[in-house]
Every structure is written in structure tokens, then in C-alpha cells.
Amino acid sequence: MAGTIGRVTAAAAAAYNETQLSLINLNFDFTLIKFEAPKEFSGLGSMMSLKRKTNAESGAFHRTARKLGALFQGSLPDIQGLMKAYGARVSEIAQSDKVKTKDTRASELFANQIGADSTSIWAAVTSGEAAVSVHLLACMLARVFPGPVATSIWVEVVAEQKFQIQEKQRTASFASAYDAASMASKQEFSRDELAEWDNSARSWIQCGDQVMVKQHLAMMNMLDAAKISVNSETNTFRSVIAAWIDALKAMSCLISGTPQRVQNGAILLGLSAWHLYPDLVLLSSATPQVRQHDPLINNLGVLTIGLENLSTPHDPVTWSLPLAYMRYYGEPQLITGFAGHSNSRVSIDQFAYIVMGSVISAWESAGFVKDIRSAVSILHRLSDLLKATWTHTIVPRDGYAQGYQHLAKTSWLGQIMAATDRYEFSDDDVERSTALKLISLGRRHPDFLCRQSSHPAPLFGLSKFSHALGFMIDSERRISFLRQLALSIGLDSNRYVIRYKNIVKGLALDEYATIRPFDRSPSLPESFIKRKNIVTGKNIRWLSISGVDRDPRGFLQADVVLDSDLPQANQQRKPATFVELAFCAGDPNSACIMTVGANAVAEFHRLAGTPEPKTKPQDEQLGERMGYKTTEMSLNQTYFNRVMLADWFSGSRLTEPWLRLGSRFPAYVSSLMACASTAEIYKLLPGATISTTILLQSIHEALWVPASAEEMKNPYRHQLSKAQTFACIAMLDTGRSNFDPKGLNNVFAISSGNSMYVGGPLLCDPYEIGEHFEVRHIAGNIGRPGLSLLVPPPNPKIRKLTPGTWNQLNYCPFDGKQENSFSQTSIHLSFTAYEMALQTKLTDQHIIDRPDRFIETLVSVYEGENWVADLDIMSALQSDLVSRFVCGSITKGLEQGCGKAFCEAFGNVHAMVSIDNWEEFLEQSDGSDKVVRAHGNWLARLAFTVTSAQQDNLALRTEYDLSKDIENGSARLGIHLDNAWGQVKVVRYLSSWGTGFLSRALQVHFELSPLREVAEHSSTSPTSASPSSTRTDHDISATVTKKAPTLIMTTPSWTQCRRKAVNARQCCQRPCRD
């Protein structure tokens, strides 16, 4: 009895202790718990930046992962096998060179932002298995839906899961069994943290697609072929949970080697989002089996797709959900997402396939081509014609060498022709299949370029008789072509005749010719030729005497008959007789085929395979277009005037408007030029991709496309400004954001997905001069959802000196040595609290999540851990205070210059002082000349140049090795004063190489205020300078110290001069990167 009581007491005590422990746990912040990441993920962890890893292990991302994992923990299946395979795959992706930034300068400036964004993955694996499952759901949603939609789904699913847990606890017999779940359901989930969770997963799948490119393309092709929906559930919460669990279970079975057969698209969606690729069998496809040979999947794990077809013929895997949390007010919105090529990302080369498809879509509508193969074939025929036509040099118009420019890959025509070549000659089945899918995608969006009514006739207007015949060399070529056409379709020479225009003494006269040598007796009643004694086997022509027909379309005036087909043959006058004809086809203004007899027109179109015109004979549009075979026949280089053909595609403003495709169809050509501009931009952005949802818009309506003819200076593509370039990238990357470039003048970078697009000057030595539109691509992001446009703050701050810094102001005399005193200088990005959401035409005004926003960004200079200044780099480098200097030139191998040495020019080299720390630079009270010693440190030179410009001081550049030249006395200077601009140039020339190269050159450019009086100088060039006419050392010193200029020492780079100096014996006129 006593034992029993003791046991009961012990049990009660244990129960009490357990209760106390539970109460303690309830008061403990479980989001702080961190698990050791499984070894399969170690490769991923080793590639993460310190900032991202810290955020994933102990920051906001880790807390989000812990809360989500705890919220859904009791609803998920075991995924041990799947988690191991996924860990191996993400480690493989993270360690791939394709997602590593090769630009060392980008690594210095964007150290915390570069690389694959794996924050959500690492946060999940350090938060437990359930959190990994939640991350996998995030990838599924990101594959199908855009960011704002996916965030709304997360908000709704989280809210419903909380409600489900609370209901279970309320109705349970043992409520304490739900204490842990209840605690998770009471956690707050802000919309912002769910949006950032989605954005990280979205960025990651972009990285995976880029690395697993071949498998990804095969999967996209399979998704397009599947044509099934994710599920038919109409409730958002139940649909998401069902798809999630179906995908987790099926994938786990496949990895373990258990074949699966599915009837919905959830598992396919999971495969594409998780980058795991089992062998597939699609029963409803012409190519039923796809072997992927994924080493992470058991060979027996084969996925079979059933015959269910719940979508329309063109739709891939679809998922429709009613969303109640997308707007502040209103009924739930039904949103349908797609997983396939229509909602994917493509390279710039693949984008060309889409453009090509949109072009040929109008050709199909007109009945010109029947399929892609015929379109590709005739494009190749046109390409061959253009290449042959431009074999000889065409006289450049407006400075463009037309023959070369037309077919360049960054011209609008060359972009399409290059796409046809890649499609036709590709020997990779996956690549060819992908190209076919993308061309078909473009064909389904004919209005992407512009309205179909604004498209020219097929083949860029060359299928129109008036254009094809108008571009032929002369009337003889037109007659030859029409005779070839008549012969090919078997026209009867007794019932058809050619009418053509012949220029006689400036007058265009109508003349006629038979379609082929006459071979029938003129006595036949059906023949319209009544003259006797005609020798068969010869052509006949009729020349007009009066020059005016009764009806230029309808009557043949048989005044003169030729026994030979040559216009110079002897003529025999005959009494005028009239034969009534009907216009059949061709161009009434140049050459056409006329018919005799009531049924001749119908017979012609039956033989030619073209629809019979239903318009009246007098209608200008009658018979104006050629069919496919006729157009193909016309593409013969012996027919065409090569200059006129060149002008048609890119004629200058000197060309008549009717001879230019761009003048006849401005919207169409402008859109194609815009597409070519993207090729020009993206060739500098390796790894950047384009969203195919761009097809939901018309590029003709893009605000960044130049609207006026004055802006279209290049007939092959648009020349875009920096703001237009950023607007173009924003639109193509998101597929939706159509910004007015006028509002983007201050933007210096864009962050979207796992891509950063950075203005070129941020990643260049300040001496380098890039293209005005140059933007660089970096794999990485700033961690904000949607599209972030980074702008600097107004009036960036610079550190003010304090009295305590007096002991650092040494101002040591400059000894001419190249040294780097700023190895601790670095530049970092940070963000203020200022953000501004942007409204675009396609943005729903009532949605909660705005995907596009301005982010005020600080680009800060640090010396070690100490802040120095905030920079506005783009504006500063455009300032007139910043000058870049180039080498002079040499003639016949002789040096140019006045002969004065460096020391002589400045009086004493020690009169210049060295800047060896930021305090010396920021203190400007000393009026002496200063040299910032930042040898081999581009980042410090950039910081000093921008800071100096922001202080309204001179930022001067040079490239030379002073120490060596001062020692041996070989430095030579030329001094040039330009009174008009108030400039003094001190130029040093070194002896050249035997091949005419300058190994190094120095040019110091001291800018003075244009209003400041400057002493006169008789010399206007270094060659004319002489010691007698050169200003005294004292004068030079006094002039250059008026604004206390600063020299920034740089690394010699003679190769910059070498590349453009070959055979020219002169240095390049502007620096260029190697």
C-alpha cells in the first residue's frame, strides 16, 4: 500500500515537473533555436556571403523559417531522402562557376550582395526538416506565380493554418497536446517578411535554371507538352496543401526508386522548382520518354504522366487559385499561373526566337507560310540574297556601312537572321526543341511588336509586287521575272501578256510583251494576236505611240509590233487596234501580268495558288501580293538593285520615304529596332535573362523606345541613353514594368530576382570611358522583393574634420614614387529608410504589394571601419570638373614636346605634396598641388575622384611612372594653353617602340574657371611649343595652384594605347578596356 502511494506521488511530481517544463517552453523564444545543417548542404554554406549567412542563422530570415516550420510541422510527410538529394543539388548549383561573379571589382564593391541568394535555403536547413519543406513550397509558388500573387497566397495559407490549429485545440479532448502548435499559431507573420521569403526562393530558382540549363529546358518542354492542371481544388488553402504534399510524397518515392504515375501537375511543378530530374514518360506525347540521367535519382524512379488534359491546347501546366488577400477590399480574385515557356526566363539569343515567331505570325495570318519550316526556309533565302547583294561595297549613307551593318547580330534584321541560322543548324535536340517552342510562343503573340494592321506584307514587304518589282534593276529584269513566274505556273501565252513601264525621254510609257516566245498560230480564235506571218519561237512586244492608253489597266494598244524581244529592234507600224485586257497581278506602276478573257483572272490565281481578289479591277490593292513560291522565286540577286534593296531596310533620310520600310511601317520597324537594342545591351550582360511574360505587352508601347524620328539616329537599332537602358532592362527582366525614362535619371543600379544591373562607371577605374548606355550584370541582389531601383540621396554627406585630426596632417613632399597608401579604403552599400512604390500601366492600383519601388541607397566610403563619405558616383563622373586624359600622337617616330623636363616645369618636384590619408585629402586649406598616392587601387581612385568632384575640387588623372623618369631625366613635357577654355595641359612624351607604340604617356590637365583671366600663349599645340614661348616655371605654378588641384596616381596601361595604335603610329583618342 505504501509502495502504491509512493508511486502515485512520484507520478504526480513527474506530471508537475512536465507541466512546469511546458510552461517554461511556452515562455522561451523557439525562433532562436539553430540546428546544425546536414552535411549535404555544406557546399552551399561555404559559398554564402557573411552577411547572408548571418541573417540565415540568427537574423530575420532564420526567425521566419523557424516560425513557418513550426506552423506546418504537424501536416507534412517525412522527407529525409528528398532533403538529402536536394542538399546535394543546391550545393552543386551554388558551387557552379555560372553563378559566381568573375568581375573582381564587383566583388569588392558588392561583397554582401553578390552570388546566388540561398538565404532562405540556409535559414530552412538550420531550422529543421519542416522548414525545408516550407522552402520547397516557396519554390513551387515562385515557379508559377509572380511575386505579389505568391505573397498573397502565403498570407492566406498562413492565416488559414493558424485558424485550423486553433480550431483543433479548441475541440480536442486533450488541448495540451496542441500547445506547441498553438504557440506557433500565435506568432506574427508580417507581409514584408513573407514577401522576402518568397523573393529569396524566387531568386534561387533563377540560379538553378541558369546552372541546370539543359535539364531545365527539357523540363520546360515537358511542362508545355503535359497540358494538365496542378489540381482542381477551388479552395486556395486546400489546393496549396494538396499540391505541396503530393509533390513531396511523389518526389520522395522517386528518389528512393519507386515509380510514380501522376494525373495532375503538382509533381511536375515540384520537379521543375527543385531542380531534380527523374526520367519521364508522357503517354500523350509523340516523344513519350525523356531520360535525364540524374545521379541523385534512383534509376527505377520513373515518372509517368497520364492522359488527363484539363487545359486548352496552348496552355502548359496551370494552377488557378481564388485569392482573398491580394487587395484591401473586394471579392476574391481568380488568378491563373502557368509553368512552362510562357512563364519562364530566356537568354537574349532565345529572345530572338520569340521575336522571329512574332514576325512570322502575321505571315501565317496572311496565308503566306504554313509552318515554321517554310518561314525559316524563305528567311534563309532572303539572307543569302542580302549577303550576295552586299558582297561588293555599298556607298555608306549617313556614316553607316550598310552591307556590314544590316546582318550584324545587333541590327534588327541581323537578330532575326541569326536566330534562323541557330535554329536551322543546331544539332542539339533539346536546343532545337526549345527554339521551336519559343518560336511558337512568339507566333501566339503577333501584337507583341505592334498591331497586325501595322505589319508590312510578308517577308518585310518583299512579297508585295510593287516592292519586289520596284527594287529590280530595270524593266528587262521585271519582264524576265514575270516570264519566269508565268512559266512556273503554266500560263497560256495566248491569254496573258506583260505590261511594263518604259522610260523614254523622261516619260513613263506603257509597253507590252508576251509572257513567253509565241508558239501558236495567230489564226486561232482564242488568240488576241491577229497579225499574220509571225515567226514562232520569238517574243513579241508592243510599243505605245501616243503614250496614253484609254485605260492604263484595261486596254492593249497594238500600235507597233516587234518581231524581236529586244527594244532596239526595227519597228513596223500598223493601224491601231485595241484588245480589252484585265489586270491580273503585279504592280501597275512598274510591270504586271494582264489577262484576256472573262475567266483568265480566276485561272491565274488557281494556277498560282493564291486566293482570287474580291475587289474591283480598278482597286489599287488588287493582286498586290505574291504567294510563297513566287516570292521565293523573286529572291534572285540578278534581279535586284542592291542599293535600293539596302535602302529599303535601312535607308537614310536622303532616300525617298516610299523606298524605306521604316517610313512605310514606322511602328513595326521601330519595334524591331527596340528588340535589336536589347541585343546590344544584353551582349554586355552575360548571364542576364528576360521574362517571357513581356509578351503580354506590346513593345511598341514601351516608354523607353524613342518615339520621334529625330531620336532614331541609327537605322539598325535605337541608340539609348542611360535612363532608357535602365527602363529597357526593367521591362525585360520583370516582363511588366514600363517606366518613363525621364524618371530614372538618378538610377545607378537595379536589383531584381537574382540579378543586379549596375551602371558601368561604378565598376570602372574613373579613367576608363565606357559607352553611355553601358550597364554591367552581377549575379546577386539586395534582398528586397520585386524590382528595386537604387537611387542616391540628395546632397551626399562628407565627413567633417575635427580639431583632433591635426596630428594626421603631414603633407609630406611628393618624392615621385608610386605607392598605395589607401589599402584600407573600401566602398559599401547600405539603405536609408526611404522607399517609394511606383505605379505603372499594368500595376493594379488596388493591390497591396507593389512590386516596383525606388530604394534610396548609400554608396559609402570607409577607411577601415571609419566612415568617410557617401558618393553619388554617376553624377560626379559626369561633372565637368572630372577630366580624362589621353595620349598625344607621334609623327615619323619623332617625339613631340617643348623639351622641358618635369622638374623644370614645376620648378621643384618637392613643391608638390603627397596625400597619404583621408584627413589630408579632406583638409583643403593648404594651397599646394597634391598627389593622392593610390597606385594600383582603382576603388580608392574612384572614391577620391567622386569625393573631389562633390567638393567642387578638381579631380585630375594621370598614368606614368615618375620615379624612373625623374631619376634618368628622360621625362619630356609639352605645355599647351588653351585660352578659349582656360586650360593648361602639361604633357610628357616618352620614346616610342620600333612599331610606333607609346609605352606610357603622361598628360596632366589643370582646369581653370572659364571666367578667370589666363595669360596668353602663342602656342596652340604641343608641337609648336618652344622654350622661348613657354611660360615660366613661376607662372605655371601660380596658375595651377589657384584651385589647389589634386593628382590621383594610377597604374600605367600602355596596352590601352597599343590596341588602336597599330599601323597608325598614334595613341588612341580615348582609353578602352582590354
Side-chain angles (χ1 to χ4, degrees), residues 186-245:
K186 294 177 182 179
Q187 298 294 314
E188 293 295 329
F189 292 86
S190 71
R191 200 173 184 103
D192 286 342
E193 63 182 336
L194 292 175
E196 290 177 359
W197 179 260
D198 166 76
N199 184 70
S200 180
R202 189 176 303 276
S203 301
W204 174 255
I205 63 175
Q206 288 186 19
C207 294
D209 295 346
Q210 186 178 353
V211 174
M212 314 298 295
V213 58
K214 187 171 184 179
Q215 296 90 332
H216 170 66
L217 292 177
M219 179 57 67
M220 289 294 103
N221 293 338
M222 185 60 70
L223 290 174
D224 281 343
K227 299 183 178 66
I228 57 178
S229 64
V230 170
N231 56 44
S232 57
E233 181 61 60
T234 57
N235 177 273
T236 298
F237 177 77
R238 291 196 296 268
S239 177
V240 171
I241 297 299
W244 185 14
I245 293 176

Side-chain angles (χ1 to χ4, degrees), residues 53 128 194 211 256 293 310 332 430 444 472 570 738 878 1052:
K53 198 168 187 178
L194 292 175
V211 174
S256 64
H293 307 290
L310 301 179
V430 173
R444 298 197 295 272
M472 291 183 183
N570 294 328
N738 189 5
Q878 295 174 2

Side-chain angles (χ1 to χ4, degrees), residues 980-1001:
W981 295 98
Q983 298 174 349
V984 178
K985 298 180 181 179
V986 183
V987 186
R988 178 176 69 83
Y989 298 93
L990 297 180
S991 58
S992 61
W993 286 21
T995 53
F997 300 137
L998 292 179
S999 60
R1000 296 183 181 91

Side-chain angles (χ1 to χ4, degrees), residues 305-612:
I305 312 297
L307 296 174
E308 182 181 7
N309 188 345
L310 301 179
S311 303
T312 58
H314 292 307
D315 289 337
V317 172
T318 60
W319 198 355
S320 297
L321 297 173
L323 301 182
Y325 288 79
M326 195 166 177
R327 292 186 172 190
Y328 289 106
Y329 177 81
E331 295 294 327
Q333 284 188 293
L334 184 64
I335 303 295
T336 300
F338 303 92
H341 284 299
S342 60
N343 183 25
S344 63
R345 305 191 67 82
V346 296
S347 66
I348 187 62
D349 286 343
Q350 293 170 331
F351 178 67
Y353 292 131
I354 296 176
V355 176
M356 173 184 165
S358 186
V359 167
I360 67 177
S361 62
W363 304 359
E364 291 180 303
S365 300
F368 183 72
V369 295
K370 296 181 179 179
D371 52 31
I372 294 176
R373 181 171 295 278
S374 59
V376 170
S377 176
I378 201 164
L379 280 170
H380 270 299
R381 188 71 178 266
L382 176 60
S383 178
D384 292 340
L385 170 64
L386 297 180
K387 290 175 183 177
T389 301
W390 294 320
T391 299
H392 303 289
T393 303
I394 295 179
V395 178
R397 295 176 180 267
D398 287 353
Y400 297 105
Q402 293 173 301
Y404 170 76
Q405 292 279 357
H406 267 82
L407 298 180
K409 290 184 179 180
T410 54
S411 71
W412 68 263
L413 184 60
Q415 185 183 33
I416 296 172
M417 294 305 183
T420 62
D421 288 341
R422 288 194 301 271
Y423 172 77
E424 186 71 14
F425 302 117
S426 174
D427 55 0
D428 188 310
D429 293 340
V430 173
E431 181 180 347
R432 190 177 178 85
S433 176
T434 301
L436 183 62
K437 296 283 186 182
L438 293 174
I439 294 172
S440 299
L441 180 62
R443 289 164 63 197
R444 298 197 295 272
H445 294 84
D447 293 338
F448 169 63
L449 295 175
C450 57
R451 293 190 302 271
Q452 284 207 56
S453 59
S454 299
H455 284 230
L459 201 63
F460 313 109
L462 294 181
S463 65
K464 192 172 182 179
F465 270 114
S466 60
H467 294 152
L469 293 171
F471 298 149
M472 291 183 183
I473 297 175
D474 52 27
S475 60
E476 297 307 310
R477 266 55 167 212
R478 299 183 186 104
I479 294 172
S480 176
F481 164 66
L482 292 177
R483 283 174 173 167
Q484 185 182 7
L485 169 61
L487 179 64
S488 67
I489 60 178
L491 295 184
D492 184 357
S493 60
N494 282 279
R495 304 183 64 186
Y496 296 90
V497 67
I498 295 173
R499 189 184 74 189
Y500 62 95
K501 295 285 185 180
N502 189 29
I503 306 299
V504 179
K505 296 181 179 180
L507 296 176
L509 305 180
D510 287 326
E511 299 180 356
Y512 298 85
T514 51
I515 60 174
R516 65 171 179 261
F518 186 73
D519 56 1
R520 293 188 183 181
S521 171
S523 61
L524 293 177
E526 65 272 15
S527 175
F528 66 90
I529 301 176
K530 302 301 182 181
R531 186 184 176 214
K532 298 180 179 179
N533 303 323
I534 294 180
V535 180
T536 60
K538 289 187 177 182
N539 281 303
I540 302 175
R541 292 201 189 187
W542 294 261
L543 302 182
S544 175
I545 294 178
S546 64
V548 180
D549 289 337
R550 292 184 181 179
D551 185 335
R553 287 181 180 268
F555 293 89
L556 168 64
Q557 184 177 352
D559 292 333
V560 177
V561 179
L562 297 182
D563 290 332
S564 171
D565 191 38
L566 296 177
Q568 295 80 8
N570 294 328
Q571 303 175 4
Q572 299 180 10
R573 297 180 60 87
K574 291 292 179 183
T577 59
F578 292 92
V579 178
E580 186 171 356
L581 305 174
F583 174 79
C584 182
D587 177 22
N589 297 316
S590 57
C592 59
I593 296 178
M594 309 292 286
T595 64
V596 179
N599 299 321
V601 174
E603 179 186 8
F604 171 85
H605 289 286
R606 177 182 62 79
L607 294 172
T610 57
E612 182 178 355

